[in-house]
Amino acid sequence: MTPLAGRKEWSGLAILSLPVLLLSIDLSVLYLAIPDLTRDLGPTSQEQLWILDVYGFLVAGLLITMGTLGDRIGRRRLLFIGTAMFGAASLVAATATSPEVLIAARAALGVAGATLAPSTLALVTTMFQNPKQRGMAIAIWSSCFGGGAVLGPTIGGALLSVFWWGSVFLLAVPVTVLLLVAGPFLLPEYRNANAGRLDLPSAGLSIAAVIPFVYGVKTLTLGGGVAAALLALVVGALSGILFVHRQTRLRDPLLDLTLFATRSFSYMLTLSLLVGAVQGGSLLLINEHLQVVVGLSTLATGLCLVPAGAAMIVTMTLSPAFARRLRPGNVIALGLLVSAAGYGLLTRIPAAGASAPAVLATCLIMAGVGPVVALGYDLMLRSVPAEKAGSAAATAETAGQFGVAAGIAALGSIGAALYRSQVDLPDNLPARAAAAADSVTAAAAVSANLPAPIGRELLEAARQASTSSFQLVAALAGLLIAALAVLAAWSLRHVPSSAAAGDGGVQAGFASASLNEQPEGVGRGRDEE
């Protein structure tokens, strides 16, 4: 019978959830501040891109390195270092007086942010040894990570309606102070006592693999230079191949490739990546539809997504309870079928009018993704030894970054191509309005500078084409999600429900397959608290 977590552990979970929520919010909150920021600091268009993207690039590029570093030097120690750095960088960003200072501060936030997700998730697995409690704890942690992405635009819009653009960064300061003050009393330390030294060439190769890839797909999505984007993708792919090759030759690899020999880990990682790709790409198109086709402001669009975030949090929280009676693979499959129904609803969405159909469809989509996130992390982390939890958590997070970036690029490109093939522009448009054929966003900008009759005609044609292409992409996404539901039920059929495995024997279902999926005792390698 594994020990139950008490008040200290649950209080520690509350502390750990705050920086994760903050990390997720920080990925999207700055987009709303760009107009005010541009008027104040006057960055060039290239500097604007770096201000927006350098944070996400470095978070994605350093996750594996930071997760493995936490296993070596101590997860709590790394979390405190990263938290202090995050708070200090947030203050610098909030008071930046030039684009260069803001870019540097955002880069520091990215480095610090890369320590937060793997450290907090690995500590959760250390603190909650009982499978039932651990599943609930990971669901709560996941809900903060998923909910922050939806709440970011809403919180940012509320702050910017009252304060200056730098206020979006000051959310981090009280959170970092609280964690640094309360953390030493509530959080245990854990490190792998047998871990070797950190291989710096591997760390460099991991960064060279992830950052160029993310840059490449974002550039393709935004319609940037194709040659530069393809070169970045090639560099990322070659660096990834060299990284994997080096790991097979090291005694103490940065990423333990034996993790992928565990069936539950590799299947769930692949499933999470593909679901994240579909979700990331479709949310981009949903945001575009609400803002350009329906005509909502950025803040109103953020508010429309709050119910979807709430639906996702609810299903994340309830998923462990369902997994005690049903196989986790079946719970995930049922959730994905709910998401598929949401995409089906999007295929019937009107070209104009109320936002309610899109909001309802998004609620179904996000609610269905909840079990994937909540149970996915639990399945991956409980299938690896405890001393590798940091590396496993970082790998899972990196896969998520890849999935979302690839999904935005793929579905965004498909949607753009379908729009261009279907848009029927008015015959009497001036030559300067040719850009309207590229995207509905460009069409909306062009129509605002045309005489009213032809401007309205152009915007209506663009909205019709955008809605039609959106419906086709939604149909494709729905089919992919339905296929992933079948894959989840099949690939995870060997994982029993929590009740069937027993309180102390959830891993028994893994071990019976001779897959070395039973974690070692969490006490091994733990420093004194």
Side-chain angles (χ1 to χ4, degrees):
M1 183 72 178
T2 54
L4 293 174
R7 182 179 301 174
K8 178 181 178 181
E9 286 76 17
W10 288 108
S11 299
L13 175 64
I15 293 295
L16 289 175
S17 297
L18 290 175
V20 175
L21 181 65
L22 200 64
L23 170 65
S24 184
I25 289 175
D26 234 44
L27 286 168
S28 59
V29 72
L30 191 59
Y31 285 91
L32 295 177
I34 281 294
D36 292 342
L37 183 157
T38 301
R39 285 193 296 269
D40 194 2
L41 301 184
T44 65
S45 58
Q46 193 67 24
E47 287 172 336
Q48 284 185 29
L49 290 177
W50 279 109
I51 289 169
L52 288 172
D53 290 337
V54 69
Y55 174 79
F57 285 174
L58 287 174
V59 168
L62 289 170
L63 276 170
I64 292 177
T65 298
M66 292 303 183
T68 307
L69 182 62
D71 290 340
R72 284 164 165 76
I73 71 171
R75 296 166 188 167
R76 186 179 70 172
R77 180 181 302 171
L78 182 64
L79 176 63
F80 288 167
I81 292 171
T83 299
M85 184 177 177
F86 201 95
S90 296
L91 284 174
V92 174
T95 56
T97 56
S98 70
E100 293 79 10
V101 172
L102 184 55
I103 291 170
R106 288 281 286 173
L109 283 169
V111 175
T115 71
L116 300 183
S119 296
T120 53
L121 183 55
L123 281 171
V124 168
T125 65
T126 301
M127 294 160 57
F128 295 89
Q129 301 178 34
N130 178 269
K132 178 179 176 181
Q133 290 186 322
R134 184 180 58 241
M136 180 58 68
I138 290 178
I140 293 172
W141 179 94
S142 302
S143 68
C144 291
F145 202 89
V150 175
L151 293 175
T154 306
I155 294 174
L159 285 172
L160 292 171
S161 65
V162 180
F163 304 107
W164 88 112
W165 60 264
S167 63
V168 298
F169 295 107
L170 295 182
L171 286 169
V173 176
V175 171
T176 54
V177 171
L178 177 62
L179 192 148
L180 292 174
V181 171
F185 302 100
L186 298 175
L187 305 178
E189 181 58 288
Y190 186 100
R191 67 182 180 87
N192 182 4
N194 300 318
R197 65 181 180 85
L198 181 68
D199 184 59
L200 293 180
S202 292
L205 284 172
S206 71
I207 295 171
V210 175
I211 292 180
F213 175 83
V214 176
Y215 170 81
V217 294
K218 283 197 172 187
T219 301
L220 286 176
T221 304
L222 295 173
V226 175
L230 292 178
L231 177 61
L233 292 175
V234 170
V235 170
L238 291 176
S239 299
I241 292 171
L242 291 174
F243 173 79
V244 171
H245 178 69
R246 184 172 180 83
Q247 303 318 293
T248 63
R249 301 172 62 88
L250 292 175
R251 179 180 178 182
D252 301 305
L254 182 67
L255 175 62
D256 188 351
L257 298 179
T258 61
L259 292 174
F260 296 95
T262 304
R263 184 161 46 154
S264 294
F265 183 87
S266 58
Y267 282 168
M268 197 62 239
L269 189 75
T270 302
L271 187 67
S272 297
L273 187 151
L274 294 175
V275 171
V278 177
Q279 178 194 4
S282 58
L283 282 179
L284 170 71
L285 296 177
I286 290 170
N287 272 277
E288 182 179 77
H289 178 82
L290 289 174
Q291 291 186 60
V292 183
V293 177
V294 178
L296 300 181
S297 67
T298 306
L299 178 57
T301 300
L303 290 173
C304 282
L305 294 176
V306 170
M312 186 176 183
I313 290 172
V314 169
T315 56
M316 281 179 173
T317 306
L318 294 178
S319 293
F322 286 114
R324 286 196 289 272
R325 293 290 176 261
L326 302 173
R327 292 180 183 273
N330 292 339
V331 177
I332 291 172
L334 289 172
L336 291 176
L337 290 177
V338 172
S339 280
Y343 286 112
L345 183 58
L346 286 181
T347 64
R348 310 299 300 171
I349 202 165
S355 58
V359 172
L360 176 58
T362 309
C363 285
L364 292 174
I365 291 169
M366 299 300 287
V369 170
V372 180
V373 179
L375 299 181
Y377 282 118
D378 188 31
L379 285 170
M380 285 186 279
L381 292 178
R382 78 188 191 193
S383 67
V384 302
E387 66 271 15
K388 296 179 181 178
S391 179
T395 304
E397 288 297 325
T398 303
Q401 293 284 343
F402 270 109
V404 171
I408 289 174
L411 294 187
S413 298
I414 292 172
L418 290 172
Y419 170 85
R420 287 192 293 269
S421 69
Q422 297 186 65
V423 67
D424 186 15
L425 300 179
D427 295 329
N428 52 345
L429 279 181
R432 59 188 171 87
D438 293 332
S439 68
V440 67
T441 306
V446 168
S447 67
N449 297 316
L450 294 176
I454 191 171
R456 284 195 300 269
E457 186 180 355
L458 169 61
L459 188 57
E460 179 60 25
R463 285 173 170 171
Q464 290 289 347
S466 177
T467 302
S468 177
S469 63
F470 183 36
Q471 291 170 343
L472 291 172
V473 172
L476 173 62
L479 290 174
L480 290 173
I481 289 294
L484 291 175
V486 176
L487 175 64
W490 177 82
S491 63
L492 299 174
R493 66 190 184 282
H494 65 289
V495 184
S497 65
S498 300
D503 284 345
V506 175
Q507 284 79 20
F510 303 118
S512 65
S514 301
L515 294 170
N516 190 30
E517 294 190 344
Q518 181 169 350
E520 300 178 16
V522 293
R524 178 182 171 187
R526 183 185 297 179
D527 292 341
E528 293 184 4
E529 298 185 10

